[in-house]
Amino acid sequence: MIEELETIEEFLARHSADVEEAVRTAAAAEIMPRFRRLAEHEVDQKAGPHDLVTDADRLAERYLTDALAALLPGSAVVGEEAVDANPAVYEAIRGEAPVWIVDPVDGTRQFVRGDTGFSTMVALARHGVVLASWVYAPARGQLATAVRGKGAFLNGEALRSGDPEPGRALQVATSHPDYTTDEQKRTLLGLWVDGVEPRACGSAGLEYLAVARGELDATAFGWEAAWDHAAGLLLVEEAGGAHLTGTGTPFRITGGNALPFTAARNTATARRVIGLLSGAAREVSPAGEATATAP
C-alpha cells in the first residue's frame, strides 16, 4: 500500500508511461476493433434507451482494472460498469487507498453511432484529490494527460485554456436534455441569455478537453459520477481553468456537490456561469437549491 503523497508522486514519475500504455492497449484491443463494427448483440441498455453499454465498455474496463491494479498494488479501481453491477464499489473513492477512476468508453452513444467523439478516461486519486489523469480519444489520435502541479498536455504539447475572447458570446456545453429532469432543464435555462450560447454536450471527457484547449469556454453539468468528471477536471485545472459548484466551491469527486456545476477557461467565467445558474435555480426552488442526479 502506498502511504504518502510523495510516494504516489514517485509512482507517477516512474509509471505514467505504463498507465498510458495500458490505456492505449485497452483501446487497441477492445474498443477500436468494434468501432463501426458492433453487432446487435454487443449493445445493451442499462437504465433506458439513452444509457447504453457495449462489449467494448465491459472488456476495456476489465483490461484496465487488471492492468492498473497490478501497476499500483493496494490500489482500488472504480469503473463505471463495475459500479453499475455493484453500486458499493463506488465507496472506494471515499476510502483510504489510492483509487483509479475509469470510464472505458465515455460517449458510448457516439461510439455506437460510429461517431469519433468518444474517449477512454482514467484518473488516479486519493483522499478525494485527483492526482493524475489520462483522456484518450483513439479515433482522433488524441491523448491528453495531466499530473497535479505539473501541467496538462495533449500529445505532448502543453495545454493552456486562456481567456474567452472579449465581446464574443460564451460557448457553453450543458447536460444533454436526454439526461436531465424538468427541474434541471429549467435551471439550465439560466444560460439562455444575451452573451451566452449554450448547446447540449457530447462526451464529457472531450468537452473538458475542449475547455482545456481554449476551444470551449465552459461546461454546465448536473450529475456527479466521478468517472465522467475526475480526469477532465484535472485537465482543466492544470491548463489554467477553474471549476465551481452552486455554492461557489470546487467540485468534489467524493460527492455532495451543489448542482449544476461548471468547469471554465478561467475563474471569472466559472463565476459568471454559476451566477446565471444559481439565479435560475432560485426561481425553480424556493430554498434556492438545485438538485440533480447522474444520467
Side-chain angles (χ1 to χ4, degrees), residues 42-117:
E42 294 180 299
V43 183
D44 295 315
Q45 294 183 16
K46 293 191 285 188
H50 302 302
D51 189 10
L52 302 178
V53 62
T54 73
D55 285 3
D57 296 76
R58 295 187 179 108
L59 293 171
E61 181 170 305
R62 187 180 304 166
Y63 178 90
L64 286 167
T65 297
D66 292 343
L68 297 172
L71 278 175
L72 184 53
S75 61
V77 181
V78 172
E80 178 176 6
E81 307 315 326
V83 172
D84 183 64
N86 178 11
V89 170
Y90 201 85
E91 290 304 311
I93 290 176
R94 305 178 181 96
E96 290 297 313
V99 58
W100 300 98
I101 303 168
V102 176
D103 192 339
V105 182
D106 178 62
T108 299
R109 205 158 62 159
Q110 287 85 349
F111 178 73
V112 170
R113 289 202 306 257
D115 189 304
T116 63

Side-chain angles (χ1 to χ4, degrees), residues 4-54:
E4 302 294 339
L5 178 59
E6 290 77 12
T7 309
I8 295 180
E9 290 173 342
E10 291 171 3
F11 166 83
L12 289 169
R14 294 194 305 269
H15 294 292
S16 287
D18 297 324
V19 179
E20 176 181 330
E21 181 61 25
V23 172
R24 289 185 182 274
T25 300
E30 306 295 357
I31 298 172
M32 293 309 292
R34 294 175 172 84
F35 182 49
R36 296 175 178 164
R37 299 180 182 88
L38 281 168
E40 186 174 347
H41 70 272
E42 294 180 299
V43 183
D44 295 315
Q45 294 183 16
K46 293 191 285 188
H50 302 302
D51 189 10
L52 302 178
V53 62
T54 73

Side-chain angles (χ1 to χ4, degrees), residues 208-219:
Y208 284 126
L209 176 56
V211 173
R213 299 180 75 181
E215 297 175 346
L216 177 69
D217 295 316
T219 63

Side-chain angles (χ1 to χ4, degrees), residues 3-295:
E3 297 295 342
E4 302 294 339
L5 178 59
E6 290 77 12
T7 309
I8 295 180
E9 290 173 342
E10 291 171 3
F11 166 83
L12 289 169
R14 294 194 305 269
H15 294 292
S16 287
D18 297 324
V19 179
E20 176 181 330
E21 181 61 25
V23 172
R24 289 185 182 274
T25 300
E30 306 295 357
I31 298 172
M32 293 309 292
R34 294 175 172 84
F35 182 49
R36 296 175 178 164
R37 299 180 182 88
L38 281 168
E40 186 174 347
H41 70 272
E42 294 180 299
V43 183
D44 295 315
Q45 294 183 16
K46 293 191 285 188
H50 302 302
D51 189 10
L52 302 178
V53 62
T54 73
D55 285 3
D57 296 76
R58 295 187 179 108
L59 293 171
E61 181 170 305
R62 187 180 304 166
Y63 178 90
L64 286 167
T65 297
D66 292 343
L68 297 172
L71 278 175
L72 184 53
S75 61
V77 181
V78 172
E80 178 176 6
E81 307 315 326
V83 172
D84 183 64
N86 178 11
V89 170
Y90 201 85
E91 290 304 311
I93 290 176
R94 305 178 181 96
E96 290 297 313
V99 58
W100 300 98
I101 303 168
V102 176
D103 192 339
V105 182
D106 178 62
T108 299
R109 205 158 62 159
Q110 287 85 349
F111 178 73
V112 170
R113 289 202 306 257
D115 189 304
T116 63
F118 63 90
S119 63
T120 297
M121 296 199 290
V122 171
L124 177 61
R126 192 173 186 207
H127 297 150
V129 178
V130 182
L131 303 172
S133 73
W134 297 259
V135 177
Y136 182 40
R140 298 181 177 183
Q142 296 175 326
L143 176 68
T145 62
V147 174
R148 182 163 296 281
K150 298 185 182 301
F153 300 85
L154 175 63
N155 293 344
E157 297 292 326
L159 289 172
R160 295 301 301 171
S161 57
D163 300 323
E165 181 182 339
R168 184 177 62 82
L170 290 180
Q171 309 296 304
V172 183
T174 73
S175 296
H176 197 286
D178 289 342
Y179 303 120
T180 53
T181 66
D182 289 343
E183 181 177 321
Q184 292 161 26
K185 288 181 175 69
R186 289 192 292 270
T187 298
L188 290 170
L189 284 176
L191 298 176
W192 265 254
V193 296
D194 289 342
V196 181
E197 293 181 357
R199 62 163 174 79
C201 73
S203 156
L206 296 184
E207 302 291 12
Y208 284 126
L209 176 56
V211 173
R213 299 180 75 181
E215 297 175 346
L216 177 69
D217 295 316
T219 63
F221 293 152
W223 75 97
E224 290 189 300
W227 49 76
D228 283 326
H229 305 305
L233 288 174
L234 184 63
L235 274 182
V236 170
E237 282 186 80
E238 289 298 316
H243 51 90
L244 295 175
T245 67
T247 56
T249 57
F251 182 89
R252 300 182 302 273
I253 63 168
T254 50
N257 297 284
L259 302 172
F261 76 99
T262 186
R265 293 174 64 182
N266 60 20
T267 300
T269 302
R271 287 174 177 161
R272 181 180 178 191
V273 171
I274 284 298
L276 292 170
L277 293 171
S278 296
R282 284 192 292 272
E283 294 180 7
V284 171
S285 170
E289 294 178 357
T291 60
T293 58

